[in-house]
Amino acid sequence: MFHKAIILSLGLLTLAGCNAQKKTKTPESTAGTSSPMNETKNSAQKGGVIYFNQGENKFLKEYEMNVTFKGISQDSRCPEGVVCVWAGVAVAQVEVMGTYTRPTILNLATSDHGGRDYHKSAEFNGYIISLEELTPSRKAEPGGKDLDGKYRIGIKITKSDGSLNPTTK
């Protein structure tokens, strides 16, 4: 009988210790990040544009997709303070993956130019994903690698009517 009382009391102390750990552990917040549940709500308040830093990944629960800004594959935009014949274009690589789909990389450009296969928007999983913003602007520095890792994009996601993809009706 004495052994049963000791085992029961040790079991209760163990359970009480587990419950105390659950209460003391709170999510740590770091500067510049927020919880995934608030990502789309905070971003949507800025005119429906969702912002990503280079390399950043967000799960957008509202659209049931995971979006990652991989980087910039090319940036031929005219640098600040320089007069150019053509404004140039930058192409952002955005990886999207739906809840039930494989990952796909979309190449979103700062301007549409069909002859060079530049498109500001692409269709994925019933949504149109458009590049709305790309910062910062290029500087007139030699080498062209002055902005690696510092890019930030703003994308807008809208429901598709099927007009971008001619294979679906």
Side-chain angles (χ1 to χ4, degrees), residues 90-153:
V91 178
Q93 291 185 325
V94 179
E95 183 181 78
V96 291
M97 182 173 67
T99 309
Y100 303 106
T101 63
R102 291 179 165 240
T104 303
I105 294 188
L106 305 177
N107 290 309
L108 303 176
T110 53
S111 63
D112 282 318
H113 192 284
R116 295 190 179 192
D117 201 28
Y118 295 141
H119 305 284
K120 282 188 72 144
S121 300
E123 190 169 353
F124 175 77
N125 214 21
Y127 292 98
I128 296 175
I129 301 169
S130 304
L131 181 65
E132 297 292 319
E133 223 176 285
L134 174 64
T135 54
S137 305
R138 289 193 54 216
K139 308 279 189 249
E141 293 182 18
K145 297 288 182 187
D146 55 329
L147 296 177
D148 275 351
K150 299 177 186 172
Y151 287 104
R152 179 179 165 96
I153 62 167

Side-chain angles (χ1 to χ4, degrees), residues 7-18:
I7 292 174
L8 180 64
S9 62
L10 287 175
L12 289 174
L13 286 173
T14 303
L15 290 175
C18 290

Side-chain angles (χ1 to χ4, degrees), residues 10-125:
L10 287 175
L12 289 174
L13 286 173
T14 303
L15 290 175
C18 290
N19 194 22
Q21 285 181 347
K22 287 181 185 176
K23 289 180 183 175
T24 58
K25 286 188 178 180
T26 57
E28 297 176 17
S29 61
T30 57
T33 61
S34 59
S35 69
M37 299 300 258
N38 296 331
E39 296 277 2
T40 55
K41 291 180 182 171
N42 291 341
S43 301
Q45 292 175 355
K46 298 176 183 174
V49 178
I50 304 165
Y51 292 94
F52 292 87
N53 293 319
Q54 191 166 345
E56 189 175 7
N57 175 10
K58 292 181 186 177
F59 180 76
L60 307 176
K61 188 173 185 176
E62 179 180 349
Y63 306 106
E64 293 184 0
M65 72 174 72
N66 193 46
V67 181
T68 305
F69 172 33
K70 292 290 198 180
I72 300 294
S73 61
Q74 67 180 17
D75 190 355
S76 64
R77 295 176 297 165
C78 187
E80 290 179 354
V82 177
V83 178
C84 299
V85 175
W86 184 50
V89 68
V91 178
Q93 291 185 325
V94 179
E95 183 181 78
V96 291
M97 182 173 67
T99 309
Y100 303 106
T101 63
R102 291 179 165 240
T104 303
I105 294 188
L106 305 177
N107 290 309
L108 303 176
T110 53
S111 63
D112 282 318
H113 192 284
R116 295 190 179 192
D117 201 28
Y118 295 141
H119 305 284
K120 282 188 72 144
S121 300
E123 190 169 353
F124 175 77
N125 214 21

